[in-house]
Amino acid sequence: MSGPAKSTFADRLLGRVRLRGPVVLVAPILAIVFAGLITSIVLLITGDPPLDTLLLMVEYGTRPRSIVLTLNSATYYYLSALAVAIGFRMNLFNIGVDGQYRLAALVAAAVGGAVTLPAPLHVALIIFVAMVVGAGWASIAGLLKVRRGVSEVISTIMLNAIATALGAWLLNKDRFAVEVSGSNNIGTKPIGASGQVPGLELIPGTTSKVFGLIILAIAMGILYHVLINKTRFGFDLRATGRSESAAVASGVNVKRMVLIAMMLSGAMAGLVGMPQLLGASYSYSLDFPTGLGFIGIAIALLGRNNPVGIAFGALLWAFLDTSSNILQLHEISPDIVQIMQGTIVLSVIVAYELVHRYQISAGQRRVSRQLASATPTQAEGASA
Amino acid sequence: MLQNRFGKLAAAALAGSMLMGAAACGGSEEPATSATAAAPSDGASSAAPAAAGAKVGLAYDIGGRGDQSFNDAAAAGLDKAKSELGLAETKELEAGNGETEAAKEERLRLLADGGYNPIIAIGFAYSGSLKKVAAEFPDIKFAIVDDADATGPNISNLLFAEHEGSFLVGAAAALKSKKGHVGFIGGVQVPLINKFEAGFAAGAKAVKADIKIESKYLSQPPDFTGFADPAKGKTAAEGMFDAGADVVYQAAGGSGSGVFEAAKAANGLAIGVDSDQAKTAAADLQGVIMTSMLKKVDVAVFDFLKSFADNTVKAGTTSYDLKAGGVDYSTTGGQVDDIKAKLDEFKQKIISGEITVPDKTS
């Protein structure tokens, strides 16, 4: 693990190599310029004026109600991206966050609807159940990898499909579900008042409330930072991610680390559904949001697995989602938003890679200059 | 090492984007279309309803206009109203895949804020959000299709007796089946589609008590691809024809065309759903569609808009059952002409209450 010259593309992509100096700011600016340029071209092709579209989105996105919507979506996107990032940090690709959070939310909703406890305990129980189910479901992939060498990419994708089938089986009147009278929906028994987390009136000028569990999301971000960067466990985790053989040599039990990291990722995934469940739906029904786990992958890449970066990524993603409604109202296809989101992820990856390469070649030039000017007594090579 | 890591990452990214792409495919072909070219430049400022005719807001479920099924039926009703009632302006928004209730609420609020009145929500998924938004805008009339849970003084619930219509096509299937073996294919296993199955089975058994009925759902929620995957429909129908069924009824939205293909290949018969599919399906497949269970969402949407124009909007449930002509069977192609007398007899018995059709599978 010496210099940037030895890093791989994946290392740079996942933020394991840090940029230093003024170029830190260059990469995100470059990414924004790229994304803006490509989106503008797409808008021009579809016959919409790029600048007006952007202004429309900004105007709508800064209305108080839109800000609340953005913050609420960002809350679960953030948790989802953190779940993915834990795995990314040690080269585990947990594609199964989607299945993990859906199953966790379903079971937690059923448990929460079945019991009545004093408020803090009730909420704690639901969250605890969700984390246990998420961790448990992820541990299947972890165990398969540790014991049988099954790639977690394959197993977690398959477990997503199994989670869908299992969820459909559980969400049945013979098991967890109750019928909503007069409706074509079915869901778990609604969670009582003691299990609901009240919203916060953070944004003046609207009666819409921000999810109370946004605090949980922030706390998880801090916890993630401390765990990865300030603890022995985090060091082992990062070390395993960088070089498995080096980690083994320094006494890390890699198999144990894989299993624990997978379970931590799953437990975090279990939290993804909680803001929506305890702050708005109070029941897991047919219209519970799906696909948040995949969005988490994109946002983790966008935020380069850094807790602050992910927060920005989640807010940006949520802002774009929120503004899709206003685009429809003005005859602009809402699919433009999905194109923007994809473009931004690609731009960030490309921009950071370019800046990294620039930094590497600049370093090499510096070294060769030094070698040329100094007397060549030490022929050490260009591993600065 | 590098290739290995990179390969993994590429696989991960690919899988993720494929799935996101799949989700995106649930989206639209066409965005909203508007009767007047001039969209309101500022949504909030045009709060007063236009004097000439109504400004109608329509919120679709996933798929939107162009899904050749449920949403298109609603669009047809809107189009009819547009030409016959002289609506000032219409605005159509559609749902994204996997969105939250908050997003649906916001969609309805944007329409309400934009001065659209009345506002029609297509599909039960709007239940909770419509209830909230309707309470915030008491002066605007709302309607929701397929839901009776959201109630209020300014909400009209447009409900269909799909089980009654399905009973008739079930009876038709049993009368036409030479082998005494029929099949049902549902798009997604949700209570709404169970109603179709329950009615179909009851109708078939009313004709022939010991009839064999195959039943299959193409996907389970939250996977809603069963409404939009012809390949899945084809495979399921092929299985049924291979097992000996000779008539298959599909309530699977966009997956239905696959069922028709399988019926054609197996020399069997198929029954369409929602609209008269012997008219709307691909020309070479129309021949296998002996009849269709009509669910007249277009009529419901048009009736509601007409009542708005006449100022006679009725809050609460309007039931579009056999009696009201909201559901029916189609006779296009003449394939059920020989059994029409029997079917109409069943129809009268249901209307008179002599037969009560179950709306749940036992």
Side-chain angles (χ1 to χ4, degrees), chain B residues 256-331:
Chain B
S257 59
V259 177
F260 300 148
E261 281 171 29
K264 190 173 185 210
N267 270 327
L269 289 170
I271 299 175
V273 78
D274 289 349
S275 50
D276 188 352
Q277 295 195 294
K279 284 181 186 156
T280 60
D284 60 323
L285 297 176
Q286 291 176 355
V288 301
I289 304 168
M290 56 177 260
T291 180
S292 295
M293 199 291 277
L294 304 175
K295 177 176 174 181
K296 299 178 181 168
V297 178
D298 52 339
V299 172
V301 168
F302 179 80
D303 283 358
F304 173 74
L305 290 173
K306 189 162 187 323
S307 71
F308 183 85
D310 302 344
N311 216 2
T312 56
V313 173
K314 179 166 94 61
T317 300
T318 307
S319 186
Y320 287 88
D321 53 10
L322 263 184
K323 200 174 180 178
V327 290
D328 209 339
Y329 69 97
S330 68
T331 54

Side-chain angles (χ1 to χ4, degrees), chain B residues 184-201:
Chain B
F184 169 81
I185 293 178
V188 183
Q189 191 158 15
V190 291
L192 178 65
I193 305 301
N194 283 341
K195 268 170 97 177
F196 290 79
E197 185 192 353
F200 178 75

Side-chain angles (χ1 to χ4, degrees), chain B residues 6-69:
Chain B
F6 182 62
K8 246 181 173 183
L9 187 91
L14 188 69
S17 60
M18 259 160 45
L19 284 150
M20 281 190 278
C25 289
S28 69
E29 326 243 281
E30 275 280 293
T33 48
S34 160
T36 53
S41 57
D42 182 3
S45 68
S46 51
K55 273 177 78 179
V56 180
L58 199 72
Y60 291 115
D61 206 342
I62 296 164
R65 187 187 270 266
D67 72 343
Q68 296 197 347
S69 179

Side-chain angles (χ1 to χ4, degrees), chain A residues 19 97 111 122 186 283 367:
Chain A
L19 290 172
V97 171
V111 171
H122 198 171
I186 52 169
S283 155
V367 170

Side-chain angles (χ1 to χ4, degrees), chain A residues 235-252:
Chain A
F235 179 81
D236 287 352
L237 189 121
R238 283 180 290 137
T240 316
R242 282 301 291 271
S243 166
E244 210 175 293
S245 49
V248 171
S250 62
V252 176

